[in-house]
Amino acid sequence: YQNKSWIVTNQHVVEHAELMYAVDCDGREFPVSVQDAVENQDIALLRFDDPKSADIDTVTVRKDASRKIEEGQLVIATGNPFFLAKAGQPVATLGVVSGLDRVLGSQYVYGRAIQHDAKVNPGNSGGPLWNLAGDLVGINGMIMQREINEAGSPVSSGVSFAIPIDQVWGHLKTLVDQRKDAKAPYLGIVARTHK
């Protein structure tokens, strides 16, 4: 879009950051800034501050890739859990899609999340979820947590959720143009069955 490269991540990853760098697989660091965000849906768009970032490897996003995902399909989550990987080399975990269109919400509303069981931990948030053809299908953002560890971080229960890429795609033009109306409406109804 506009002959530029962008980084899509989670709002909760960048909301308190004062200084940010994108690190490629060769360990090169590129300064980045928040372009805009859809805060209530946990989506943020980052821009490269340095023109030298033009030679970074990029991924072409296909907006319909997440629409073709099916339950039982294998997916790969990449990221840097607990920041153990050196030089920006991502850690990959394999999992199965166990549900689609999951509705979750508290501070952020995940209206059509992809549920999968690829291991996702702190450091994976904002990272990509791929299908086995190498298509970006989602942005990992939330885990179902059962407890908090001694460092105060959530412990993964093995149930993870990603924002589908077609949902992100719907906000990209607004984010790139910085229209500042990047909020998504939702109807806050929760149904419960009582005995």
Side-chain angles (χ1 to χ4, degrees):
Y1 188 85
Q2 295 181 351
N3 297 319
K4 288 186 179 179
S5 298
W6 306 89
I7 297 174
V8 178
T9 190
N10 292 132
Q11 164 66 11
H12 79 261
V13 170
V14 300
E15 64 185 343
H16 298 300
E18 295 179 8
L19 189 62
M20 293 180 290
Y21 291 89
V23 183
D24 72 4
C25 291
D26 296 326
R28 295 180 301 165
E29 296 182 353
F30 301 91
V32 294
S33 301
V34 175
Q35 171 80 4
D36 206 347
V38 187
E39 294 181 8
N40 63 334
Q41 288 200 349
D42 202 17
I43 299 168
L45 185 72
L46 308 184
R47 65 177 177 267
F48 289 95
D49 296 336
D50 188 342
K52 291 186 222 168
S53 62
D55 67 345
I56 196 169
D57 290 335
T58 58
V59 173
T60 300
V61 177
R62 291 179 38 235
K63 67 178 177 180
D64 63 340
S66 55
R67 293 181 193 153
K68 297 177 180 176
I69 258 278
E70 297 179 355
E71 292 179 0
Q73 188 171 340
L74 293 174
V75 287
I76 297 171
T78 54
N80 191 351
F82 303 109
F83 305 103
L84 296 172
K86 303 286 189 230
Q89 296 178 353
V91 173
T93 54
L94 182 67
V96 177
V97 173
S98 48
L100 299 169
D101 298 323
R102 296 298 195 231
V103 179
L104 310 158
S106 55
Q107 181 180 357
Y108 306 107
V109 176
Y110 282 43
R112 294 179 37 243
I114 302 166
Q115 179 183 333
H116 62 88
D117 66 358
K119 285 286 186 186
V120 170
N121 287 289
N124 283 103
S125 286
L129 183 70
W130 312 92
N131 64 18
L132 294 191
D135 298 317
L136 177 64
V137 296
I139 305 297
N140 290 306
M142 192 181 292
I143 60 176
M144 191 69 71
Q145 62 188 55
R146 294 290 180 213
E147 58 185 285
I148 302 293
N149 66 16
E150 292 175 4
S153 297
V155 177
S156 176
S157 64
V159 179
S160 306
F161 301 94
I163 303 166
I165 203 64
D166 67 314
Q167 185 174 336
V168 175
W169 184 277
H171 296 292
L172 283 180
K173 185 168 176 54
T174 298
L175 294 171
V176 168
D177 292 342
Q178 288 186 292
R179 292 187 193 163
K180 297 302 179 190
D181 59 352
K183 283 206 177 266
Y186 64 94
L187 184 61
I189 296 176
V190 177
R192 290 199 174 120
T193 303
H194 294 278
K195 292 183 180 181

